[in-house]
Amino acid sequence: MNAPHSPFRPIQALPDQLISQIAAGEVVDRPSAVVKELLENALDAGATQVTVKLEEGGVKRIAIIDNGRGIPPDQMPLALARHATSKIASLADLENVGTLGFRGEALASIASVAQLTLTSRTDGAPHAWELAGVSGAQAAPASGTIGTTVDVRDLYFNTPARRKFLKSEQTEFGHCAEVVRRIALSRPDVTFSLSHNGKTVDHWNASEVDKRSAHILGQEFAAARLPLDESAGPLRLHGFVGLPTASKSRADGQYFYVNGRFVRDKLLTHAVRAAYQDVLHGDRYPCYMLCLDLDPALVDVNVHPSKIEVRFRDSRAVHQFVFHAVNRALAQTSAAAQGEGPAPALPAPGRLPWMREPQQASFAPQFAARSAPAGVAQDLASYGALFGSVPLPAAGDATPAIAAAPLPPAAQSLPDDEFPLGFALAQLHGIYVLAQNRAGLVLVDMHAAHERILYEQLKNALDADAMQVQPLLIPVTFYADPVEVGTVEENAGALQALGFDITALSPTTLAVRAIPALLKNADAQSLARDVLRDVREFGGSRVLVERRNEMLATLACHTAVRANRALTLPEMNALLRQMEATERADQCNHGRPTWAQLALADLDRLFLRGQ
């Protein structure tokens, strides 16, 4: 089909009104874009109080009222002119943008597609001045307080085709409200108020960032967040990252700011996602509110008309800095660092406030003997496993039933700073370990906890090139298809680096002669098949680099203590001690929590105590 014939027209300069309307198509695509541009102008003017009034989703009216510096009356016509701004004056300024706005085209673009009125008063002026956003208009005296009011009515009244693309009133209002939330989140020092159709929807007084983020993102996020503040050279990353247990099925809880500007940047999103890969799996999305501060000369914000995308001068350095900062925060999660606000009945678990070096092999870490703390049911001397290595019983061994220890009479006397997870009381249904600490009752999923411990030990051993090997007294042989045999022959070096010694005895038989010492209690044949499957699918070198953690997680999962496995009290306590010494012990390798705290106050409410 031939393209329709267009009439011949001479090349000519476009009228200013049409130029502004074309620019509005990029800058003002919907009411929320107007709100964004005007809010950024208010903050650039030094406002500490901003009021946003919307009618009919912002289509009928958008009014932004601030208490900033104001605009002198002789400069008000320039404020409505295209490419007129007080924020940059040279290429050097453009390369060092320190304000949210800088192009000088927002007001002109808005005035070209709506009925705009600008009212402003500077400090010391006897009254305000008002200017209509039409060609040839003159500023006239008006009433008003110090600051600026931009009143936008009947958006797209003169471009009805664009108005047809708008959604329902509630949808457009939702987009406007989200813009206000984003900007309010980045400026907790500013008071914001939002109303719609005459009703106040939100109001945030100036406060600290932790309170503002809890107010906007909700108490659920506040109860499951970790503070972060790291610097390296010209880079600083600060804010909050949500615990994996607070993840969502959508990426609507992710707020990233660069020099105070909300951005959607693939590089930054990838860096954060990579930091969560060890504790968050599947289709879940982490929640976070992070601010990256750096020299404006190191980032280009003049990339996209809406200024929502940026380009870094050294993108690799920024990616690595963000990744490692978030990764370190997640590795040191703590119940005490989960933020403020009321805790849920079963709060999201947290990393413990102190760290020990990870231990090897069995559940039992080593530490010096001490007298039993007051209120603990048994003397520490009775916890023999705590002072040496006590291997777990083999899968088929008979283990005596566990009787619950006498309840400690004084929970408040437990040494919370030394043993944050407390001491074991009993095992429930062969799945959970019940322990008592100063706060109340601790519930531990023993399989998930042991899985994380093994996983971290495997990673540490492989990172240090110190993967200890456990030779098998009698090699385990099993039938293998030609593909598996070929995988062994082609990837012998990668298998050895992972701690496996697998050889082909015949075209259809493989022999496992050694496995990683950390997995010595696992089924050698199952381990061998798992590692061969991953090596075959991704290649030996890629498994060691890109897919290494996923493969180690699988091995740890298959090796961890299983449900319905009876543990002795010493073994349970040794598990608690190793959890305290292991990074990321709050979640298993699949992102599920490994433990939860039930506070005494929660128990009191269950039994109506004190009511």
Side-chain angles (χ1 to χ4, degrees):
M1 181 177 178
N2 294 328
H5 177 72
S6 57
F8 172 78
R9 291 195 181 110
I11 299 175
Q12 58 185 345
L14 297 177
D16 287 346
Q17 177 74 359
L18 182 56
I19 293 174
S20 295
Q21 289 176 339
I22 293 173
E26 296 179 336
V27 179
V28 189
D29 59 338
R30 65 191 324 158
S32 60
V34 176
V35 174
K36 173 182 176 295
E37 296 292 340
L38 298 182
L39 281 178
E40 289 180 347
N41 282 346
L43 295 177
D44 285 341
T48 59
Q49 295 181 352
V50 181
T51 299
V52 181
K53 295 181 179 180
L54 304 175
E55 293 181 17
E56 296 183 8
V59 177
K60 182 178 181 181
R61 186 190 184 206
I62 299 172
I64 307 293
I65 307 164
D66 70 61
N67 67 342
R69 290 185 294 271
I71 307 172
D74 60 325
Q75 295 184 19
M76 291 176 69
L78 271 178
L80 298 180
R82 289 187 301 110
H83 307 306
T85 180
S86 62
K87 300 170 186 177
I88 61 173
S90 65
L91 178 60
D93 293 338
L94 182 61
E95 294 176 345
N96 291 270
V97 174
T99 55
L100 297 176
F102 57 88
R103 286 201 176 101
E105 60 182 356
L107 288 178
S109 297
I110 296 169
S112 70
V113 293
Q115 297 176 346
L116 183 148
T117 302
L118 179 65
T119 306
S120 191
R121 178 181 177 183
T122 57
D123 188 16
H127 55 77
W129 294 81
E130 182 178 286
L131 178 66
V134 295
S135 178
Q138 297 293 321
S143 61
T145 58
I146 295 175
T148 301
T149 297
V150 182
D151 200 334
V152 180
R153 296 177 183 267
D154 297 326
L155 189 62
Y156 305 129
F157 77 98
N158 56 355
T159 54
R162 179 169 293 277
R163 201 164 190 169
K164 292 179 181 178
F165 287 95
L166 298 179
K167 304 299 182 182
S168 68
E169 176 181 327
Q170 285 303 314
T171 298
E172 295 301 336
F173 169 70
H175 286 292
C176 292
E178 177 62 18
V179 166
V180 178
R181 281 193 292 268
R182 289 175 188 168
I183 294 179
L185 194 58
S186 69
R187 291 296 303 272
D189 58 318
V190 177
T191 297
F192 289 88
S193 182
L194 170 65
S195 66
H196 186 224
N197 293 336
K199 296 181 180 179
T200 299
V201 177
D202 277 310
H203 180 84
W204 304 290
N205 289 321
S207 61
E208 299 297 324
V209 64
D210 56 343
K211 294 181 180 178
R212 175 65 61 85
S213 61
H215 195 167
I216 294 179
L217 301 182
Q219 290 300 328
E220 184 177 351
F221 175 78
R225 65 184 179 186
L226 305 167
L228 185 157
D229 194 339
E230 288 206 18
S231 299
L235 305 177
R236 180 194 176 205
L237 185 69
H238 55 100
F240 300 96
V241 291
L243 291 170
T245 48
S247 62
K248 293 186 173 184
S249 58
R250 298 188 303 168
D252 58 353
Q254 301 179 352
Y255 296 84
F256 211 115
Y257 302 85
V258 175
N259 288 344
R261 185 192 312 278
F262 176 82
V263 299
R264 285 198 185 98
D265 184 82
K266 292 181 180 179
L267 177 124
L268 297 174
T269 301
H270 182 272
V272 176
R273 181 71 187 186
Y276 273 89
Q277 68 178 356
D278 253 4
V279 291
L280 193 64
H281 296 274
D283 297 327
R284 306 292 295 177
Y285 294 90
C287 297
Y288 51 83
M289 193 281 287
L290 293 171
C291 304
L292 177 65
D293 298 337
L294 72 166
D295 185 341
L298 301 178
V299 57
D300 183 5
V301 298
N302 191 25
V303 177
H304 190 274
S306 65
K307 304 184 290 290
I308 203 169
E309 298 177 7
V310 294
R311 183 182 296 117
F312 296 101
R313 178 169 296 181
D314 190 345
S315 58
R316 180 175 177 82
V318 171
H319 182 281
Q320 289 298 97
F321 170 69
V322 172
F323 166 75
H324 287 295
V326 176
N327 191 49
R328 278 190 291 269
L330 294 173
Q332 300 175 11
T333 53
S334 164
Q338 285 182 30
E340 301 177 1
L346 284 178
R351 181 71 181 112
L352 303 164
W354 56 277
M355 298 292 299
R356 294 189 186 130
E357 289 299 319
Q359 305 295 319
Q360 298 289 328
S362 72
F363 278 152
Q366 309 285 335
F367 53 87
R370 55 177 65 88
S371 58
V376 178
Q378 294 178 315
D379 191 281
L380 284 182
S382 66
Y383 293 126
L386 299 180
F387 305 99
S389 180
V390 179
L392 286 173
D397 292 353
T399 306
I402 297 177
L407 291 173
Q412 65 272 18
S413 62
L414 289 176
D416 186 54
D417 54 339
E418 294 187 55
F419 304 111
L421 289 180
F423 290 88
L425 301 173
Q427 190 178 21
L428 180 65
H429 288 290
I431 300 175
Y432 301 103
V433 172
L434 307 183
Q436 173 179 302
N437 65 358
R438 180 173 296 183
L441 181 66
V442 173
L443 299 94
V444 177
D445 182 333
M446 65 181 195
H447 171 77
H450 191 211
E451 182 180 343
R452 169 58 70 176
I453 291 169
L454 286 175
Y455 176 46
E456 293 296 328
Q457 290 175 345
L458 286 169
K459 284 199 305 179
N460 291 337
L462 200 55
D463 287 339
D465 196 21
M467 183 70 76
Q468 297 183 6
V469 174
Q470 176 66 53
L472 301 181
L473 184 61
I474 302 176
V476 175
T477 61
F478 59 93
Y479 171 81
D481 58 40
V483 176
E484 289 177 319
V485 173
T487 301
V488 169
E489 294 174 344
E490 294 171 6
N491 298 277
L495 293 172
Q496 289 178 0
L498 293 168
F500 289 87
D501 182 1
I502 307 175
T503 57
L505 297 182
S506 73
T508 59
T509 305
L510 291 176
V512 182
R513 303 183 184 277
I515 60 175
L518 291 170
L519 309 179
K520 62 183 180 182
N521 293 323
D523 180 74
Q525 179 178 335
S526 297
L527 286 180
R529 289 193 182 278
D530 287 339
V531 72
L532 289 178
R533 182 189 63 245
D534 284 349
V535 170
R536 179 175 69 249
E537 183 175 355
F538 303 109
S541 59
R542 190 178 174 201
V543 160
L544 287 175
V545 179
E546 300 177 19
R547 311 291 301 191
R548 183 199 73 162
N549 288 354
E550 293 183 27
M551 189 204 66
L552 295 181
T554 300
L555 298 179
C557 180
H558 290 184
T559 308
V561 60
R562 295 293 180 182
N564 300 318
R565 173 76 165 279
L567 301 180
T568 65
L569 277 174
E571 290 169 344
M572 286 186 262
N573 279 288
L575 175 63
L576 298 178
R577 301 292 80 79
Q578 280 206 328
M579 290 177 64
E580 293 165 348
T582 300
E583 289 187 343
R584 305 174 185 86
D586 308 338
Q587 290 81 31
C588 73
N589 311 336
H590 309 292
R592 295 190 297 270
T594 59
W595 66 280
Q597 176 84 59
L598 189 61
L600 283 175
D602 298 322
L603 292 171
D604 290 342
R605 282 195 292 270
L606 286 175
F607 293 97
L608 305 181
R609 289 178 61 88
Q611 299 184 20

